[in-house]
Amino acid sequence: MNEAQLDDLIAYLKFPSVSTDSTHSGDVLQCAGWLRNKMASQGLEAKVHETDGHPVVVGKNRHVEGRPTVMIYGHYDVQPADPLELWDSPPFEPRVEDGKIYARGSTDNKGQNLAHILGIGEMIAAEGDLPVNVIVLVEGEEEIGSPNLEPFLKEHKQDLACDIVAVSDTGMLAAGLGTFTYGLRGITCMELKVRGPEMDLHSGVFGGSVANPATAAAQIVASLHHADGTIAVEGFYDRVLPLQEWERESWAGLPVPPDETLSLTGAPELFGESEYTDTERRWARPTAEVNGIGGGYQGEGSKTVIPAEAFVKLSFRLVPDQDPGEILDLVRNHCEKYTPKGVNVDYELGHSGKAYVMDPQTGFGKAAQKALKNTFGSEPALIREGGSIPIVQTFKDVLGVDTLLLGLALPDCRIHSPNENFLLQNFFDGIRLNRELLKALGQ
Ligand code: BES
Ligand code: MN
């Protein structure tokens, strides 16, 4: 174990760089500055670029004509750490125990992108140069949908021109099993505000004559799914590309323990489209989820009131070739149709990102698989995943390049949850993986 590298990780994890929370803007900015200095100390020319939101940090080695250019992408922002009381130690005071480091952002994504940066530093120190041109781009807004990165890519298109992007921000099927992710789900979000009377009302005086916005919200939510779990929004599945036969066959043979989802989540039983397996549902089928719902009295005991308003936060995981804008239109029409009399609904559209899928057997795809094999010693697993990295399809659309997803997140790493952790072995393997990847891509 390299103590200096571990110290770097600990220092990086101490910044509460929560992008969604404006009270942390200063921490996000300080984290960007730290990262710039870290890149510079590893031999890269690095700069913090202002945007309309949080800054983007970009580092480059000395570029040489004729070599492939590889962009390494990651994010230094993190999800909020709450609920704080469920953490065994404070989320921004990294704790090492039993070979794991516990902190918000340890896996998602600081540990993984720092491994790349330190791998680059090791290689430059050992060999004086890298076999490829690299552009390391680490942004501060991934967890809020990367609203300012697409304009940044367009504005700096020449400077960011590359042949391929590599990202470690996805999962590994199991510890020690190199995993190549060739597809991700997309996402689109929407919030509904259901409004009824101008103020909260006595439910005895007015109940029965004035519609209840919380009831209306529940009716709208209940209309989104059929009882079998499929989505009832007309046209929702129209553009969904079917899974390919080779994928279904190869996924069925992956070493995923049959009860893994149950044991990881503690859910009482699985639920979903009966003609698909658990992995197929999570990696390649679209969903509609309620991420938050509220309205009315939330305190102790009872209160006889008709709330003036209620809200619902929805998100949809999308698969190729669903279009986020089109899905939002369909959902909105559906909700309007299922809104009961007596309330008004305001719709607020949230962030979006398209799904992504690439052919894992391209030249670059094979190079990534070779790097994984050299790092972990066995043939990598080829998978798709359910999470979203909205900028990945944008790299394809704006820069015209594919993205290699070589994740280091373990199934039990608890990203976005209390006690998020990163196996230190994966951190050090990630450093080796970076060196193997740059070697393989340079050939
Ligand atoms: N690293 C995750 C995405 C991920 C997780 C991919 C697990 C594959 C496996 C990323 O940081 C993330 O959480 N993305 C958000 C995007 C959203 C906020 C726009 C997501 O998927 O919810
Ligand atoms: Mn995340």
PDB file of all heavy atoms in Angstrom, residues 75 77 79 107-109 112 141-146 168-171 181 183-187 189 317 351-353 384-390 409 415-416, ligand 1:
ATOM      1  N   HIS A  75     -16.109  12.911 -12.044  1.00  0.00           N
ATOM      2  CA  HIS A  75     -16.743  14.058 -11.378  1.00  0.00           C
ATOM      3  C   HIS A  75     -16.284  14.150  -9.928  1.00  0.00           C
ATOM      4  O   HIS A  75     -16.130  13.136  -9.250  1.00  0.00           O
ATOM      5  CB  HIS A  75     -18.271  14.011 -11.494  1.00  0.00           C
ATOM      6  CG  HIS A  75     -18.958  12.827 -10.860  1.00  0.00           C
ATOM      7  ND1 HIS A  75     -19.467  12.876  -9.590  1.00  0.00           N
ATOM      8  CD2 HIS A  75     -19.229  11.591 -11.327  1.00  0.00           C
ATOM      9  CE1 HIS A  75     -20.044  11.718  -9.305  1.00  0.00           C
ATOM     10  NE2 HIS A  75     -19.914  10.911 -10.342  1.00  0.00           N
ATOM     11  N   ASP A  77     -17.945  16.238  -7.795  1.00  0.00           N
ATOM     12  CA  ASP A  77     -19.097  16.559  -6.943  1.00  0.00           C
ATOM     13  C   ASP A  77     -19.689  15.267  -6.392  1.00  0.00           C
ATOM     14  O   ASP A  77     -19.452  14.180  -6.930  1.00  0.00           O
ATOM     15  CB  ASP A  77     -20.162  17.360  -7.705  1.00  0.00           C
ATOM     16  CG  ASP A  77     -20.839  16.573  -8.827  1.00  0.00           C
ATOM     17  OD1 ASP A  77     -20.125  15.835  -9.547  1.00  0.00           O
ATOM     18  OD2 ASP A  77     -22.072  16.683  -8.979  1.00  0.00           O
ATOM     19  N   GLN A  79     -23.195  13.441  -4.032  1.00  0.00           N
ATOM     20  CA  GLN A  79     -24.586  13.537  -3.585  1.00  0.00           C
ATOM     21  C   GLN A  79     -24.602  14.040  -2.136  1.00  0.00           C
ATOM     22  O   GLN A  79     -23.630  13.867  -1.401  1.00  0.00           O
ATOM     23  CB  GLN A  79     -25.231  12.141  -3.630  1.00  0.00           C
ATOM     24  CG  GLN A  79     -25.524  11.635  -5.028  1.00  0.00           C
ATOM     25  CD  GLN A  79     -26.896  12.034  -5.528  1.00  0.00           C
ATOM     26  OE1 GLN A  79     -27.849  12.173  -4.760  1.00  0.00           O
ATOM     27  NE2 GLN A  79     -27.001  12.221  -6.842  1.00  0.00           N
ATOM     28  N   THR A 107     -16.521   6.046  -3.506  1.00  0.00           N
ATOM     29  CA  THR A 107     -16.638   5.300  -4.766  1.00  0.00           C
ATOM     30  C   THR A 107     -17.151   6.197  -5.882  1.00  0.00           C
ATOM     31  O   THR A 107     -16.662   6.142  -7.011  1.00  0.00           O
ATOM     32  CB  THR A 107     -17.591   4.091  -4.582  1.00  0.00           C
ATOM     33  OG1 THR A 107     -16.906   3.055  -3.867  1.00  0.00           O
ATOM     34  CG2 THR A 107     -18.027   3.519  -5.919  1.00  0.00           C
ATOM     35  N   ASP A 108     -18.148   7.020  -5.566  1.00  0.00           N
ATOM     36  CA  ASP A 108     -18.866   7.836  -6.561  1.00  0.00           C
ATOM     37  C   ASP A 108     -18.539   9.297  -6.339  1.00  0.00           C
ATOM     38  O   ASP A 108     -19.231   9.985  -5.619  1.00  0.00           O
ATOM     39  CB  ASP A 108     -20.360   7.546  -6.422  1.00  0.00           C
ATOM     40  CG  ASP A 108     -21.213   8.198  -7.490  1.00  0.00           C
ATOM     41  OD1 ASP A 108     -20.650   8.743  -8.452  1.00  0.00           O
ATOM     42  OD2 ASP A 108     -22.452   8.176  -7.355  1.00  0.00           O
ATOM     43  N   ASN A 109     -17.488   9.852  -6.931  1.00  0.00           N
ATOM     44  CA  ASN A 109     -16.621   9.212  -7.911  1.00  0.00           C
ATOM     45  C   ASN A 109     -15.152   9.538  -7.620  1.00  0.00           C
ATOM     46  O   ASN A 109     -14.273   9.240  -8.414  1.00  0.00           O
ATOM     47  CB  ASN A 109     -17.073   9.700  -9.299  1.00  0.00           C
ATOM     48  CG  ASN A 109     -16.180   9.362 -10.427  1.00  0.00           C
ATOM     49  OD1 ASN A 109     -15.524  10.240 -10.975  1.00  0.00           O
ATOM     50  ND2 ASN A 109     -16.085   8.090 -10.755  1.00  0.00           N
ATOM     51  N   GLN A 112     -12.433   6.758  -7.727  1.00  0.00           N
ATOM     52  CA  GLN A 112     -12.202   6.222  -9.069  1.00  0.00           C
ATOM     53  C   GLN A 112     -11.463   7.211  -9.965  1.00  0.00           C
ATOM     54  O   GLN A 112     -10.581   6.825 -10.732  1.00  0.00           O
ATOM     55  CB  GLN A 112     -13.534   5.818  -9.707  1.00  0.00           C
ATOM     56  CG  GLN A 112     -14.284   4.745  -8.915  1.00  0.00           C
ATOM     57  CD  GLN A 112     -15.456   4.185  -9.694  1.00  0.00           C
ATOM     58  OE1 GLN A 112     -15.275   3.529 -10.711  1.00  0.00           O
ATOM     59  NE2 GLN A 112     -16.668   4.442  -9.226  1.00  0.00           N
ATOM     60  N   GLU A 141     -20.610  18.832 -11.612  1.00  0.00           N
ATOM     61  CA  GLU A 141     -22.083  18.895 -11.686  1.00  0.00           C
ATOM     62  C   GLU A 141     -22.716  17.599 -12.176  1.00  0.00           C
ATOM     63  O   GLU A 141     -23.862  17.613 -12.623  1.00  0.00           O
ATOM     64  CB  GLU A 141     -22.512  20.042 -12.620  1.00  0.00           C
ATOM     65  CG  GLU A 141     -22.064  21.409 -12.132  1.00  0.00           C
ATOM     66  CD  GLU A 141     -22.725  22.564 -12.884  1.00  0.00           C
ATOM     67  OE1 GLU A 141     -22.852  22.468 -14.121  1.00  0.00           O
ATOM     68  OE2 GLU A 141     -23.116  23.541 -12.232  1.00  0.00           O
ATOM     69  N   GLU A 142     -21.985  16.490 -12.097  1.00  0.00           N
ATOM     70  CA  GLU A 142     -22.558  15.239 -12.617  1.00  0.00           C
ATOM     71  C   GLU A 142     -23.794  14.836 -11.847  1.00  0.00           C
ATOM     72  O   GLU A 142     -24.785  14.379 -12.422  1.00  0.00           O
ATOM     73  CB  GLU A 142     -21.512  14.112 -12.559  1.00  0.00           C
ATOM     74  CG  GLU A 142     -21.885  12.878 -13.383  1.00  0.00           C
ATOM     75  CD  GLU A 142     -22.736  11.849 -12.660  1.00  0.00           C
ATOM     76  OE1 GLU A 142     -22.887  11.934 -11.411  1.00  0.00           O
ATOM     77  OE2 GLU A 142     -23.279  10.959 -13.320  1.00  0.00           O
ATOM     78  N   GLU A 143     -23.758  15.019 -10.539  1.00  0.00           N
ATOM     79  CA  GLU A 143     -24.877  14.553  -9.711  1.00  0.00           C
ATOM     80  C   GLU A 143     -26.118  15.439  -9.839  1.00  0.00           C
ATOM     81  O   GLU A 143     -27.146  15.146  -9.241  1.00  0.00           O
ATOM     82  CB  GLU A 143     -24.440  14.448  -8.237  1.00  0.00           C
ATOM     83  CG  GLU A 143     -23.314  13.441  -7.989  1.00  0.00           C
ATOM     84  CD  GLU A 143     -23.719  11.973  -8.169  1.00  0.00           C
ATOM     85  OE1 GLU A 143     -24.858  11.706  -8.566  1.00  0.00           O
ATOM     86  OE2 GLU A 143     -22.872  11.099  -7.909  1.00  0.00           O
ATOM     87  N   ILE A 144     -26.021  16.529 -10.580  1.00  0.00           N
ATOM     88  CA  ILE A 144     -27.214  17.336 -10.851  1.00  0.00           C
ATOM     89  C   ILE A 144     -27.503  17.374 -12.354  1.00  0.00           C
ATOM     90  O   ILE A 144     -28.186  18.274 -12.854  1.00  0.00           O
ATOM     91  CB  ILE A 144     -27.100  18.769 -10.269  1.00  0.00           C
ATOM     92  CG1 ILE A 144     -25.791  19.452 -10.695  1.00  0.00           C
ATOM     93  CG2 ILE A 144     -27.197  18.728  -8.748  1.00  0.00           C
ATOM     94  CD1 ILE A 144     -25.716  20.931 -10.300  1.00  0.00           C
ATOM     95  N   GLY A 145     -26.975  16.401 -13.093  1.00  0.00           N
ATOM     96  CA  GLY A 145     -27.325  16.269 -14.503  1.00  0.00           C
ATOM     97  C   GLY A 145     -26.424  17.017 -15.469  1.00  0.00           C
ATOM     98  O   GLY A 145     -26.774  17.195 -16.630  1.00  0.00           O
ATOM     99  N   SER A 146     -25.256  17.466 -15.023  1.00  0.00           N
ATOM    100  CA  SER A 146     -24.249  18.105 -15.896  1.00  0.00           C
ATOM    101  C   SER A 146     -24.815  19.243 -16.752  1.00  0.00           C
ATOM    102  O   SER A 146     -24.583  19.291 -17.962  1.00  0.00           O
ATOM    103  CB  SER A 146     -23.600  17.060 -16.822  1.00  0.00           C
ATOM    104  OG  SER A 146     -23.052  16.006 -16.078  1.00  0.00           O
ATOM    105  N   SER A 168     -14.159   5.750 -15.197  1.00  0.00           N
ATOM    106  CA  SER A 168     -14.421   4.791 -14.124  1.00  0.00           C
ATOM    107  C   SER A 168     -15.463   5.404 -13.208  1.00  0.00           C
ATOM    108  O   SER A 168     -15.136   6.203 -12.320  1.00  0.00           O
ATOM    109  CB  SER A 168     -13.127   4.472 -13.354  1.00  0.00           C
ATOM    110  OG  SER A 168     -12.238   3.735 -14.181  1.00  0.00           O
ATOM    111  N   ASP A 169     -16.718   5.109 -13.467  1.00  0.00           N
ATOM    112  CA  ASP A 169     -17.821   5.628 -12.630  1.00  0.00           C
ATOM    113  C   ASP A 169     -19.003   4.671 -12.704  1.00  0.00           C
ATOM    114  O   ASP A 169     -20.150   5.068 -12.591  1.00  0.00           O
ATOM    115  CB  ASP A 169     -18.221   7.038 -13.095  1.00  0.00           C
ATOM    116  CG  ASP A 169     -19.116   7.759 -12.089  1.00  0.00           C
ATOM    117  OD1 ASP A 169     -19.134   7.360 -10.914  1.00  0.00           O
ATOM    118  OD2 ASP A 169     -19.810   8.717 -12.485  1.00  0.00           O
ATOM    119  N   THR A 170     -18.684   3.401 -12.919  1.00  0.00           N
ATOM    120  CA  THR A 170     -19.728   2.373 -13.018  1.00  0.00           C
ATOM    121  C   THR A 170     -19.333   1.221 -12.096  1.00  0.00           C
ATOM    122  O   THR A 170     -18.378   1.346 -11.314  1.00  0.00           O
ATOM    123  CB  THR A 170     -19.851   1.888 -14.481  1.00  0.00           C
ATOM    124  OG1 THR A 170     -18.542   1.571 -14.959  1.00  0.00           O
ATOM    125  CG2 THR A 170     -20.473   2.948 -15.368  1.00  0.00           C
ATOM    126  N   GLY A 171     -20.034   0.112 -12.229  1.00  0.00           N
ATOM    127  CA  GLY A 171     -19.845  -0.966 -11.273  1.00  0.00           C
ATOM    128  C   GLY A 171     -18.929  -2.082 -11.758  1.00  0.00           C
ATOM    129  O   GLY A 171     -18.520  -2.154 -12.914  1.00  0.00           O
ATOM    130  N   THR A 181     -18.469  -2.061 -18.996  1.00  0.00           N
ATOM    131  CA  THR A 181     -19.874  -1.683 -19.161  1.00  0.00           C
ATOM    132  C   THR A 181     -20.050  -1.034 -20.523  1.00  0.00           C
ATOM    133  O   THR A 181     -19.429  -0.012 -20.800  1.00  0.00           O
ATOM    134  CB  THR A 181     -20.286  -0.713 -18.031  1.00  0.00           C
ATOM    135  OG1 THR A 181     -20.187  -1.410 -16.789  1.00  0.00           O
ATOM    136  CG2 THR A 181     -21.710  -0.230 -18.216  1.00  0.00           C
ATOM    137  N   GLY A 183     -23.113  -0.194 -21.857  1.00  0.00           N
ATOM    138  CA  GLY A 183     -24.356   0.570 -21.994  1.00  0.00           C
ATOM    139  C   GLY A 183     -24.846   1.077 -20.654  1.00  0.00           C
ATOM    140  O   GLY A 183     -24.574   0.478 -19.610  1.00  0.00           O
ATOM    141  N   LEU A 184     -25.550   2.200 -20.679  1.00  0.00           N
ATOM    142  CA  LEU A 184     -26.121   2.811 -19.471  1.00  0.00           C
ATOM    143  C   LEU A 184     -27.547   3.238 -19.778  1.00  0.00           C
ATOM    144  O   LEU A 184     -27.856   3.581 -20.917  1.00  0.00           O
ATOM    145  CB  LEU A 184     -25.335   4.081 -19.094  1.00  0.00           C
ATOM    146  CG  LEU A 184     -23.898   3.926 -18.638  1.00  0.00           C
ATOM    147  CD1 LEU A 184     -23.255   5.316 -18.555  1.00  0.00           C
ATOM    148  CD2 LEU A 184     -23.837   3.237 -17.278  1.00  0.00           C
ATOM    149  N   ARG A 185     -28.382   3.269 -18.747  1.00  0.00           N
ATOM    150  CA  ARG A 185     -29.700   3.854 -18.963  1.00  0.00           C
ATOM    151  C   ARG A 185     -29.584   5.374 -18.953  1.00  0.00           C
ATOM    152  O   ARG A 185     -28.676   5.940 -18.340  1.00  0.00           O
ATOM    153  CB  ARG A 185     -30.683   3.390 -17.879  1.00  0.00           C
ATOM    154  CG  ARG A 185     -31.064   1.929 -18.065  1.00  0.00           C
ATOM    155  CD  ARG A 185     -32.296   1.540 -17.276  1.00  0.00           C
ATOM    156  NE  ARG A 185     -32.076   1.486 -15.844  1.00  0.00           N
ATOM    157  CZ  ARG A 185     -32.922   0.913 -14.989  1.00  0.00           C
ATOM    158  NH1 ARG A 185     -34.040   0.361 -15.433  1.00  0.00           N
ATOM    159  NH2 ARG A 185     -32.659   0.899 -13.695  1.00  0.00           N
ATOM    160  N   GLY A 186     -30.525   6.027 -19.627  1.00  0.00           N
ATOM    161  CA  GLY A 186     -30.635   7.479 -19.576  1.00  0.00           C
ATOM    162  C   GLY A 186     -31.626   7.864 -18.490  1.00  0.00           C
ATOM    163  O   GLY A 186     -32.116   7.012 -17.740  1.00  0.00           O
ATOM    164  N   ILE A 187     -31.912   9.149 -18.407  1.00  0.00           N
ATOM    165  CA  ILE A 187     -32.811   9.611 -17.349  1.00  0.00           C
ATOM    166  C   ILE A 187     -33.512  10.885 -17.787  1.00  0.00           C
ATOM    167  O   ILE A 187     -32.968  11.671 -18.573  1.00  0.00           O
ATOM    168  CB  ILE A 187     -32.013   9.853 -16.048  1.00  0.00           C
ATOM    169  CG1 ILE A 187     -32.939  10.167 -14.873  1.00  0.00           C
ATOM    170  CG2 ILE A 187     -30.977  10.961 -16.239  1.00  0.00           C
ATOM    171  CD1 ILE A 187     -32.250  10.134 -13.516  1.00  0.00           C
ATOM    172  N   CYS A 189     -36.397  13.817 -15.737  1.00  0.00           N
ATOM    173  CA  CYS A 189     -37.072  14.089 -14.454  1.00  0.00           C
ATOM    174  C   CYS A 189     -38.156  15.145 -14.612  1.00  0.00           C
ATOM    175  O   CYS A 189     -38.070  16.013 -15.486  1.00  0.00           O
ATOM    176  CB  CYS A 189     -36.068  14.608 -13.427  1.00  0.00           C
ATOM    177  SG  CYS A 189     -34.618  13.600 -13.225  1.00  0.00           S
ATOM    178  N   ARG A 317     -36.083   6.197 -15.981  1.00  0.00           N
ATOM    179  CA  ARG A 317     -34.837   5.647 -16.545  1.00  0.00           C
ATOM    180  C   ARG A 317     -35.158   5.193 -17.960  1.00  0.00           C
ATOM    181  O   ARG A 317     -36.148   4.484 -18.183  1.00  0.00           O
ATOM    182  CB  ARG A 317     -34.333   4.464 -15.723  1.00  0.00           C
ATOM    183  CG  ARG A 317     -33.846   4.827 -14.342  1.00  0.00           C
ATOM    184  CD  ARG A 317     -32.530   5.607 -14.341  1.00  0.00           C
ATOM    185  NE  ARG A 317     -32.324   6.197 -13.023  1.00  0.00           N
ATOM    186  CZ  ARG A 317     -31.206   6.798 -12.620  1.00  0.00           C
ATOM    187  NH1 ARG A 317     -30.169   6.920 -13.437  1.00  0.00           N
ATOM    188  NH2 ARG A 317     -31.124   7.299 -11.415  1.00  0.00           N
ATOM    189  N   HIS A 351     -33.752  17.729 -15.261  1.00  0.00           N
ATOM    190  CA  HIS A 351     -32.627  17.409 -16.154  1.00  0.00           C
ATOM    191  C   HIS A 351     -32.847  16.092 -16.884  1.00  0.00           C
ATOM    192  O   HIS A 351     -33.650  15.263 -16.469  1.00  0.00           O
ATOM    193  CB  HIS A 351     -31.315  17.379 -15.375  1.00  0.00           C
ATOM    194  CG  HIS A 351     -31.312  16.402 -14.241  1.00  0.00           C
ATOM    195  ND1 HIS A 351     -31.210  15.050 -14.429  1.00  0.00           N
ATOM    196  CD2 HIS A 351     -31.423  16.583 -12.904  1.00  0.00           C
ATOM    197  CE1 HIS A 351     -31.235  14.443 -13.268  1.00  0.00           C
ATOM    198  NE2 HIS A 351     -31.377  15.356 -12.313  1.00  0.00           N
ATOM    199  N   SER A 352     -32.105  15.935 -17.963  1.00  0.00           N
ATOM    200  CA  SER A 352     -32.255  14.761 -18.820  1.00  0.00           C
ATOM    201  C   SER A 352     -30.909  14.287 -19.324  1.00  0.00           C
ATOM    202  O   SER A 352     -29.980  15.083 -19.447  1.00  0.00           O
ATOM    203  CB  SER A 352     -33.073  15.124 -20.068  1.00  0.00           C
ATOM    204  OG  SER A 352     -34.419  15.269 -19.763  1.00  0.00           O
ATOM    205  N   GLY A 353     -30.811  13.024 -19.636  1.00  0.00           N
ATOM    206  CA  GLY A 353     -29.632  12.507 -20.332  1.00  0.00           C
ATOM    207  C   GLY A 353     -30.049  11.253 -21.082  1.00  0.00           C
ATOM    208  O   GLY A 353     -30.834  10.458 -20.574  1.00  0.00           O
ATOM    209  N   ARG A 384     -24.275  -4.200 -19.193  1.00  0.00           N
ATOM    210  CA  ARG A 384     -24.835  -2.852 -19.242  1.00  0.00           C
ATOM    211  C   ARG A 384     -25.265  -2.532 -17.819  1.00  0.00           C
ATOM    212  O   ARG A 384     -25.312  -3.414 -16.973  1.00  0.00           O
ATOM    213  CB  ARG A 384     -26.035  -2.813 -20.203  1.00  0.00           C
ATOM    214  CG  ARG A 384     -25.607  -2.721 -21.655  1.00  0.00           C
ATOM    215  CD  ARG A 384     -26.696  -3.117 -22.624  1.00  0.00           C
ATOM    216  NE  ARG A 384     -27.849  -2.225 -22.592  1.00  0.00           N
ATOM    217  CZ  ARG A 384     -28.915  -2.355 -23.422  1.00  0.00           C
ATOM    218  NH1 ARG A 384     -28.934  -3.340 -24.328  1.00  0.00           N
ATOM    219  NH2 ARG A 384     -29.940  -1.528 -23.346  1.00  0.00           N
ATOM    220  N   GLU A 385     -25.567  -1.254 -17.547  1.00  0.00           N
ATOM    221  CA  GLU A 385     -25.982  -0.917 -16.184  1.00  0.00           C
ATOM    222  C   GLU A 385     -27.146   0.048 -16.170  1.00  0.00           C
ATOM    223  O   GLU A 385     -27.425   0.739 -17.153  1.00  0.00           O
ATOM    224  CB  GLU A 385     -24.804  -0.334 -15.407  1.00  0.00           C
ATOM    225  CG  GLU A 385     -23.841  -1.418 -14.988  1.00  0.00           C
ATOM    226  CD  GLU A 385     -22.822  -0.887 -14.032  1.00  0.00           C
ATOM    227  OE1 GLU A 385     -23.086  -0.901 -12.825  1.00  0.00           O
ATOM    228  OE2 GLU A 385     -21.778  -0.434 -14.510  1.00  0.00           O
ATOM    229  N   GLY A 386     -27.790   0.091 -15.011  1.00  0.00           N
ATOM    230  CA  GLY A 386     -29.011   0.867 -14.880  1.00  0.00           C
ATOM    231  C   GLY A 386     -28.816   2.321 -14.540  1.00  0.00           C
ATOM    232  O   GLY A 386     -29.688   3.148 -14.806  1.00  0.00           O
ATOM    233  N   GLY A 387     -27.677   2.664 -13.920  1.00  0.00           N
ATOM    234  CA  GLY A 387     -27.408   4.055 -13.558  1.00  0.00           C
ATOM    235  C   GLY A 387     -27.156   4.888 -14.810  1.00  0.00           C
ATOM    236  O   GLY A 387     -27.033   4.350 -15.919  1.00  0.00           O
ATOM    237  N   SER A 388     -27.079   6.190 -14.618  1.00  0.00           N
ATOM    238  CA  SER A 388     -26.917   7.094 -15.757  1.00  0.00           C
ATOM    239  C   SER A 388     -25.696   7.984 -15.576  1.00  0.00           C
ATOM    240  O   SER A 388     -25.403   8.418 -14.463  1.00  0.00           O
ATOM    241  CB  SER A 388     -28.146   8.001 -15.879  1.00  0.00           C
ATOM    242  OG  SER A 388     -29.323   7.240 -15.923  1.00  0.00           O
ATOM    243  N   ILE A 389     -24.995   8.215 -16.657  1.00  0.00           N
ATOM    244  CA  ILE A 389     -23.955   9.253 -16.692  1.00  0.00           C
ATOM    245  C   ILE A 389     -24.316  10.083 -17.923  1.00  0.00           C
ATOM    246  O   ILE A 389     -23.909   9.768 -19.040  1.00  0.00           O
ATOM    247  CB  ILE A 389     -22.538   8.656 -16.786  1.00  0.00           C
ATOM    248  CG1 ILE A 389     -22.313   7.626 -15.668  1.00  0.00           C
ATOM    249  CG2 ILE A 389     -21.489   9.765 -16.715  1.00  0.00           C
ATOM    250  CD1 ILE A 389     -20.953   6.924 -15.727  1.00  0.00           C
ATOM    251  N   PRO A 390     -25.150  11.117 -17.684  1.00  0.00           N
ATOM    252  CA  PRO A 390     -25.796  11.799 -18.807  1.00  0.00           C
ATOM    253  C   PRO A 390     -24.822  12.303 -19.876  1.00  0.00           C
ATOM    254  O   PRO A 390     -25.173  12.371 -21.044  1.00  0.00           O
ATOM    255  CB  PRO A 390     -26.527  12.967 -18.135  1.00  0.00           C
ATOM    256  CG  PRO A 390     -26.759  12.522 -16.737  1.00  0.00           C
ATOM    257  CD  PRO A 390     -25.596  11.640 -16.388  1.00  0.00           C
ATOM    258  N   ALA A 409     -16.830   0.262  -8.890  1.00  0.00           N
ATOM    259  CA  ALA A 409     -17.798   0.288  -7.783  1.00  0.00           C
ATOM    260  C   ALA A 409     -18.292  -1.132  -7.503  1.00  0.00           C
ATOM    261  O   ALA A 409     -18.761  -1.812  -8.409  1.00  0.00           O
ATOM    262  CB  ALA A 409     -18.978   1.184  -8.154  1.00  0.00           C
ATOM    263  N   ILE A 415     -23.277   3.573  -2.875  1.00  0.00           N
ATOM    264  CA  ILE A 415     -23.262   4.918  -3.439  1.00  0.00           C
ATOM    265  C   ILE A 415     -24.629   5.557  -3.254  1.00  0.00           C
ATOM    266  O   ILE A 415     -25.653   4.889  -3.294  1.00  0.00           O
ATOM    267  CB  ILE A 415     -22.836   4.946  -4.932  1.00  0.00           C
ATOM    268  CG1 ILE A 415     -23.702   4.058  -5.814  1.00  0.00           C
ATOM    269  CG2 ILE A 415     -21.387   4.572  -5.081  1.00  0.00           C
ATOM    270  CD1 ILE A 415     -23.389   4.206  -7.307  1.00  0.00           C
ATOM    271  N   HIS A 416     -24.618   6.839  -3.002  1.00  0.00           N
ATOM    272  CA  HIS A 416     -25.802   7.675  -2.723  1.00  0.00           C
ATOM    273  C   HIS A 416     -26.450   7.315  -1.378  1.00  0.00           C
ATOM    274  O   HIS A 416     -27.487   7.886  -1.035  1.00  0.00           O
ATOM    275  CB  HIS A 416     -26.868   7.604  -3.837  1.00  0.00           C
ATOM    276  CG  HIS A 416     -26.409   8.142  -5.158  1.00  0.00           C
ATOM    277  ND1 HIS A 416     -27.277   8.569  -6.135  1.00  0.00           N
ATOM    278  CD2 HIS A 416     -25.167   8.322  -5.675  1.00  0.00           C
ATOM    279  CE1 HIS A 416     -26.596   8.998  -7.192  1.00  0.00           C
ATOM    280  NE2 HIS A 416     -25.310   8.843  -6.939  1.00  0.00           N
TER     281      HIS A 416
HETATM  282  N1  BES B   1     -21.820   6.770 -11.034  1.00  0.00           N
HETATM  283  C1  BES B   1     -23.200   7.045 -11.095  1.00  0.00           C
HETATM  284  C2  BES B   1     -23.916   6.302 -12.211  1.00  0.00           C
HETATM  285  C3  BES B   1     -23.831   4.804 -12.142  1.00  0.00           C
HETATM  286  C4  BES B   1     -23.980   4.144 -10.953  1.00  0.00           C
HETATM  287  C5  BES B   1     -23.626   4.094 -13.290  1.00  0.00           C
HETATM  288  C6  BES B   1     -23.880   2.764 -10.907  1.00  0.00           C
HETATM  289  C7  BES B   1     -23.567   2.729 -13.251  1.00  0.00           C
HETATM  290  C8  BES B   1     -23.673   2.061 -12.053  1.00  0.00           C
HETATM  291  C9  BES B   1     -23.421   8.534 -11.279  1.00  0.00           C
HETATM  292  O1  BES B   1     -22.599   9.315 -10.462  1.00  0.00           O
HETATM  293  C10 BES B   1     -24.828   8.857 -10.892  1.00  0.00           C
HETATM  294  O2  BES B   1     -25.212   8.630  -9.786  1.00  0.00           O
HETATM  295  N2  BES B   1     -25.584   9.403 -11.816  1.00  0.00           N
HETATM  296  C11 BES B   1     -26.908   9.882 -11.547  1.00  0.00           C
HETATM  297  C12 BES B   1     -27.223  10.825 -12.648  1.00  0.00           C
HETATM  298  C13 BES B   1     -28.338  11.765 -12.400  1.00  0.00           C
HETATM  299  C14 BES B   1     -28.271  12.484 -11.105  1.00  0.00           C
HETATM  300  C15 BES B   1     -28.452  12.713 -13.561  1.00  0.00           C
HETATM  301  C16 BES B   1     -27.917   8.746 -11.527  1.00  0.00           C
HETATM  302  O3  BES B   1     -27.752   7.728 -12.210  1.00  0.00           O
HETATM  303  O4  BES B   1     -28.890   8.875 -10.789  1.00  0.00           O
END
